[in-house]
Amino acid sequence: MHAFITAVRIPLADMVAIARPDHWFKNVFMIPGLVIGVLFVPAVRPDIASAVLIGLISTCLIASANYTINEWLDAESDRHHPLKHMRSAAQGRLVASQIFAQYLTLSVVGLGLASLVSKDFFLISNVLLMMGVLYNVRPFRTKDRSYLDVISESVNNPLRLLLGWFIVVDGSFPPSSVLMAYWMGGAFLMAIKRYAEFRFIGDPQRASLYRRSFAGYDEKTLLLSGFFYAITASFFLAIFLIKHRIEFVLSFPLFAILFVWYLSIGMKNGSAAQRPERLFRETPFMAYVGFLVAAVAVMQLVDMPFLYPLLDVQQLGQDTGN
């Protein structure tokens, strides 16, 4: 009897593990979309609390569906990773029927809940699910193509922002500048993750066996691409923040520190950037993120008239003699 119970427990634990509930924290990226939506609409829906809860659960389930096929389809390549070769799929402890059943269940339930939030939320949830197919499933499998792997995976960031937005807003999209900033910011995070993984493996040939896209990368190109994504994200972030409220100009140095600090984390041996679910162990960094959020909240609530001349183009022309 004990052997039978053990045999049942192990597959169940494995199936839960490949759904990666420890990665659900990434759905915190929905919150800015929710906040921006509240700022842009005159009145929030009366059932906002239940809509947020249902929307969050829905997104977690859809993300887990994507993680399920990700680990199953990465089983062969994960055997070349120093740590991931111990995953249940790489060890051959799972079977296709289990994977299909779990993926189908998570997808159907997740989309069913999404339909209860709003039509637009349901539409974006379908796109999020489809991105998991494009990223993982052949012949698409964008994760195998250098640069496209980062660009396609980081699309999930603006999708999460849209999910937060569509909990509050119907029929219109947020400013394109904030979507682009979110996309490029996510690309920066993903490029630094790739960089940390590449350094951790330490062997370009083995790295390309683990992740095909690594065949087109080296440490230099990964860092340079991350630098490009950071600059692009900052550009679009500046457009959005200044157009919305001039006080946010004071936040730019704080965001610059955030990018540089995350890069420094990515350059550590055994970096937490390889597994963002462990980023909470970087206590000073997380404290700084909290400080940044609080500072932006102050800039949103407190008027700073001494900054208003920066918006007075006519006065600026007079001061420069034009």
Side-chain angles (χ1 to χ4, degrees):
M1 177 62 72
H2 176 74
F4 175 76
I5 294 175
T6 302
V8 171
R9 282 179 178 173
I10 292 175
L12 178 60
D14 288 339
M15 296 304 289
V16 171
I18 67 171
R20 301 183 194 172
D22 55 330
H23 286 240
W24 286 350
F25 82 94
K26 294 178 182 178
N27 294 320
V28 71
F29 287 109
M30 295 171 62
I31 294 177
L34 183 66
V35 172
I36 295 170
V38 170
L39 293 175
F40 270 71
V41 297
V44 298
R45 57 195 291 178
D47 62 339
I48 183 68
S50 61
V52 170
L53 179 60
I54 294 171
L56 182 60
I57 295 173
S58 166
T59 305
C60 287
L61 294 179
I62 291 171
S64 285
N66 287 340
Y67 292 138
T68 296
I69 60 169
N70 176 284
E71 188 155 333
W72 173 253
L73 295 175
D74 283 358
E76 179 59 35
S77 58
D78 280 349
R79 295 185 182 114
H80 299 283
H81 190 276
L83 299 178
K84 293 182 181 180
H85 72 279
M86 296 302 296
R87 285 180 168 178
S88 54
Q91 291 285 309
R93 296 200 300 267
L94 303 176
V95 295
S97 58
Q98 290 176 296
I99 299 299
F100 179 78
Q102 177 160 301
Y103 175 77
L104 188 62
T105 300
L106 291 170
S107 300
V108 170
V109 176
L111 291 176
L113 291 174
S115 68
L116 300 178
V117 178
S118 73
K119 180 180 67 176
D120 291 324
F121 188 94
F122 176 72
L123 175 63
I124 299 301
S125 296
N126 275 275
V127 176
L128 181 62
L129 189 65
M130 182 55 63
M131 287 307 303
V133 174
L134 294 176
Y135 187 68
N136 292 290
V137 180
R138 291 184 175 88
F140 317 105
R141 200 160 166 84
T142 59
K143 72 183 302 176
D144 287 345
R145 295 167 172 81
S146 303
Y147 302 105
L148 183 58
D149 62 331
V150 168
I151 292 297
S152 61
E153 170 65 7
S154 55
V155 167
N156 291 339
N157 275 37
L159 289 178
R160 286 186 171 94
L161 184 139
L162 285 170
L163 289 170
W165 169 271
F166 284 129
I167 290 176
V168 181
V169 181
D170 283 325
S172 64
F173 282 79
S176 59
S177 56
V178 72
L179 290 174
M180 290 300 298
Y182 232 60
W183 187 3
M184 293 297 100
F188 167 76
L189 298 178
M190 185 56 60
I192 299 307
K193 177 183 178 181
R194 294 283 186 269
Y195 170 78
E197 286 179 330
F198 193 87
R199 292 183 71 239
F200 176 71
I201 295 173
D203 177 357
Q205 183 176 0
R206 186 178 182 184
S208 63
L209 289 173
Y210 157 62
R211 191 182 294 280
R212 287 189 178 185
S213 63
F214 277 152
Y217 288 131
D218 56 33
E219 289 188 25
K220 180 180 178 180
T221 55
L222 283 165
L223 279 179
L224 289 174
S225 66
F227 185 62
F228 169 80
Y229 300 135
I231 292 175
T232 309
S234 299
F235 174 78
F236 285 110
L237 182 65
I239 293 175
F240 171 72
L241 291 179
I242 293 178
K243 284 182 67 176
H244 176 63
R245 187 170 169 83
I246 188 59
E247 282 79 3
F248 285 141
V249 72
L250 300 178
S251 70
F252 295 155
L254 302 180
F255 279 106
I257 291 172
L258 185 73
F259 280 110
V260 173
W261 197 336
Y262 191 83
L263 175 58
S264 71
I265 291 174
M267 300 179 78
K268 291 180 179 179
N269 292 327
S271 169
Q274 295 182 77
R275 302 181 65 181
E277 69 274 14
R278 295 186 176 181
L279 196 59
F280 291 105
R281 299 180 182 180
E282 297 285 341
T283 307
F285 178 76
M286 297 308 301
Y288 179 77
V289 172
F291 165 75
L292 175 58
V293 171
V296 171
V298 170
M299 295 172 201
Q300 169 66 32
L301 297 173
V302 178
D303 294 331
M304 303 179 188
F306 66 91
L307 294 173
Y308 294 171
L310 296 176
L311 293 176
D312 192 342
V313 179
Q314 184 177 1
Q315 181 64 41
L316 179 62
Q318 294 173 357
D319 291 344
T320 57
N322 295 325

